[in-house]
Amino acid sequence: MPLKHPWVWKIYLLVMLLFIAKKVFYLFMPDSQTFFYYFILRSFDPIFYVTYSAHVMQVLLNTVHWIPVFLYAYRIRFLSTDFWKCLFILRCLFEITGHSFEMNSLVTLYYRRPKASLIIFTILMIPHIPSYIVCYWYAFRQEKALS
């Protein structure tokens, strides 16, 4: 897919960096709900370190995935497509497993207000969809995306 409006992707890159900064901040800030949730979870049983590790990997992979968006916006080829494919697949796997806090919050909301939980889930997912599209294009269709 040709890059028709590179300025749109550059603006999206800034928005994505704000989301990433927020996630990294919540991961390390002791006053955040996310930090507190995983701290309490780990204190119950060492097996919950797996859940915490999945969350850390999810944040780390999302942090790394600003690079393909940047490379796509500026039409730069960097590293092999196999590297970006593996990274994209890992991101998808940890996106599913690394959201224990968010999923529990949504389940709690679902039991109280099912329609509101669906609306909130949709609102929270929409800003991340372009990132997945660009990372997929960059990993699996780099020849077409950057031509």
Side-chain angles (χ1 to χ4, degrees):
M1 167 158 277
L3 188 65
K4 295 182 181 175
H5 301 288
W7 59 272
V8 172
W9 292 111
K10 291 173 186 175
I11 292 171
Y12 178 72
L13 179 64
L14 293 175
V15 171
M16 185 180 171
L17 287 172
L18 290 173
F19 282 113
I20 290 170
K22 181 185 83 163
K23 288 292 257 183
V24 171
F25 179 76
Y26 286 162
L27 180 65
F28 295 115
M29 188 62 180
D31 293 340
S32 71
Q33 290 179 343
T34 307
F35 183 90
F36 187 64
Y37 171 80
Y38 288 107
F39 179 77
I40 296 295
L41 197 64
R42 290 186 317 249
S43 66
F44 279 119
D45 193 349
I47 192 69
F48 291 117
Y49 274 95
V50 173
T51 306
Y52 176 69
S53 298
H55 176 69
V56 170
M57 283 298 296
Q58 183 267 330
V59 171
L60 177 69
L61 288 168
N62 275 338
T63 303
V64 169
H65 270 83
W66 73 269
I67 296 170
V69 176
F70 173 82
L71 296 171
Y72 180 79
Y74 288 95
R75 304 183 76 151
I76 301 170
R77 294 179 200 272
F78 183 66
L79 299 176
S80 70
T81 56
D82 291 336
F83 174 79
W84 295 114
K85 288 176 186 177
C86 290
L87 213 58
F88 180 74
I89 291 169
L90 280 173
R91 181 184 183 196
C92 291
L93 289 174
F94 282 103
E95 194 69 39
I96 293 168
T97 60
H99 286 285
S100 176
F101 173 69
E102 292 88 351
M103 289 304 294
N104 283 329
S105 299
L106 277 173
V107 167
T108 303
L109 182 61
Y110 176 76
Y111 284 121
R112 280 194 62 119
R113 305 178 93 187
K115 290 181 184 177
S117 67
L118 181 62
I119 292 168
I120 290 172
F121 177 75
T122 304
I123 290 170
L124 291 175
M125 288 303 300
I126 286 174
H128 299 285
I129 292 171
S131 170
Y132 280 94
I133 292 170
V134 168
C135 292
Y136 176 80
W137 286 343
Y138 196 80
F140 292 94
R141 298 182 176 195
Q142 192 176 82
E143 296 302 321
K144 291 179 185 177
L146 298 180
S147 60

